[in-house]
Amino acid sequence: MKIPSSLLSLVDDGVIDAVVSQLMSGKEAAVYVVRCGEQLRCAKVYKEAAKRSFKQAAQYREGRNVRNSRRARAMAKGSNFGRSEQEKIWQSAEIDALYALQNAGVRVPEPDGCFDGVLLMELICEDDGTVASRLNDVTMSAEQAIEDHQVMLQYIQRMLCIGIVHGDLSEFNVLVDDYGPVIIDLPQAVNAAANNNAKWMFERDVNNMRAYYGQFAPDLLSSQYAKEMWALYVAGELTPETVLTGLYKEPEQAANVAAVLDEIFAAQLEAETRQLRFEQDI
């Protein structure tokens, strides 16, 4: 196993004691199991922008505020300094989202901090110590699928109530331990109010969950939780306690060509993302 220099630096600095194993390598980062004292933790090492295969990153960055005008100008120009600063923002977005979601009652890995491009956080494990499986590797009964789907909807609802959309939520970005689902991978999380792409990203997230759990509980496939939640959010009526029905009636109005194009674009992007993940898993 080749250990990244960024992890070796953390060993030298005493932040971690040892690198145990590589857990996985994805489109944006490689994940390692590390030891910190007597505990095993998870270390996510972000790939350089040129080596990442995450597409349409600019769409996800829309709406992220940069308070320092010098940094903003540099990023707009695409200078070396600007690209470096953009990378820092991309990486810090995930730990910021983890803290925000944890405070909102959403199950995510507990963050420890971000150190020179390495996110250190909780390693999600079963009670027997084995590393938790990704949702796409799990099968379940119809009853369990309905229960876990409701848990995920509650988490998504809490996220939207604090203005956060995951943006890339699927069965590949959810872990399952003995206590249920845990949401992971949040560097692309978007501001629901400030990003023009937030609506279709949100609907894709919710519908991805519907499609996965619907394999085991087909009655879920006809639900319209995405449209219901977004309509309540836009109307200022969504709270963490709002009881959802899964029902939604489209308002009667003339065809919205822009909305149709958004749906087509969302479907194309989803197909590309799934194909990329399939290739990486081969």
Side-chain angles (χ1 to χ4, degrees), residues 141-143 145-146 210-223:
S141 66
E143 293 77 10
I146 291 171
R210 178 184 66 184
Y212 188 79
Y213 288 111
Q215 297 176 88
F216 312 105
D219 287 349
L220 294 175
L221 297 175
S222 61
S223 63

Side-chain angles (χ1 to χ4, degrees), residues 100-113:
L101 298 191
Q102 189 178 50
N103 290 335
V106 177
R107 279 201 74 198
V108 293
E110 181 179 358
D112 282 344

Side-chain angles (χ1 to χ4, degrees), residues 151-167:
V151 171
M152 284 301 300
L153 285 176
Q154 186 179 58
Y155 290 163
I156 293 169
Q157 182 174 348
R158 291 174 181 175
M159 291 171 66
L160 187 57
C161 284
I162 60 171
I164 294 177
V165 173
H166 186 288

Side-chain angles (χ1 to χ4, degrees), residues 199-200 203-204 207 227 250 256-270:
K199 180 178 183 291
W200 68 258
E203 291 188 355
R204 183 183 61 182
N207 292 338
K227 293 183 182 297
E250 293 282 359
N256 186 330
V257 176
V260 173
L261 292 176
D262 283 346
E263 293 284 349
I264 294 172
F265 177 77
Q268 291 174 335
L269 182 58
E270 179 179 356

